Amino acid sequence: MKIHSEEYRKMFEKSINDDLEKLKQESKEYFSCDDILILLKLLSRYSRGEEGSNIINIANKLDLLMRDLKMLDEKNALNYIEEFIKNNWK
């Protein structure tokens, strides 16, 4: 859906900018600018309708795997997954 009214377009753009500023304020403690840009780049790789769900699904699965590894007393779950991906993701 395209926005044709210039006044409505400006209001919509301001709303988007406000949302982005809020995202920055809520996220900058946890994510750097580069982190957000990497996520944005990942989102751009997917076709419409899939983008958010693919990234969210992968993040959720990785989070669950890290929790499972911690339950197995794995000292560095992130490193374990990283090494697995480097050695097996071809």
Side-chain angles (χ1 to χ4, degrees):
M1 179 172 124
K2 291 200 175 198
I3 299 171
H4 298 289
S5 164
E6 189 61 33
E7 182 180 344
Y8 187 71
R9 182 180 178 83
K10 286 180 182 180
M11 287 175 37
F12 197 64
E13 186 175 315
K14 182 188 180 321
S15 176
I16 290 170
N17 289 341
D18 291 346
D19 288 344
L20 288 169
E21 181 62 32
K22 184 178 178 184
L23 176 71
K24 179 183 99 176
Q25 296 301 320
E26 292 172 348
S27 303
K28 70 180 181 181
E29 180 179 346
Y30 308 105
F31 301 102
S32 69
C33 176
D34 289 339
D35 294 334
I36 299 298
L37 293 175
I38 288 168
L39 284 172
L40 189 59
K41 186 174 181 178
L42 286 171
L43 284 172
S44 73
R45 292 183 185 176
Y46 295 97
S47 63
R48 292 181 188 186
E50 297 177 0
E51 58 263 357
S53 63
N54 284 332
I55 300 298
I56 292 166
N57 287 339
I58 290 171
N60 285 336
K61 288 177 185 178
L62 289 170
D63 185 49
L64 290 172
L65 289 168
M66 288 178 57
R67 288 181 192 176
D68 289 347
L69 286 164
K70 288 177 183 175
M71 286 175 43
L72 294 173
D73 289 329
E74 176 62 41
K75 300 287 186 233
N76 193 337
L78 181 62
N79 189 50
Y80 182 97
I81 294 171
E82 183 179 339
E83 287 301 314
F84 180 90
I85 290 170
K86 285 179 182 177
N87 295 325
N88 298 290
W89 203 286
K90 296 176 185 180

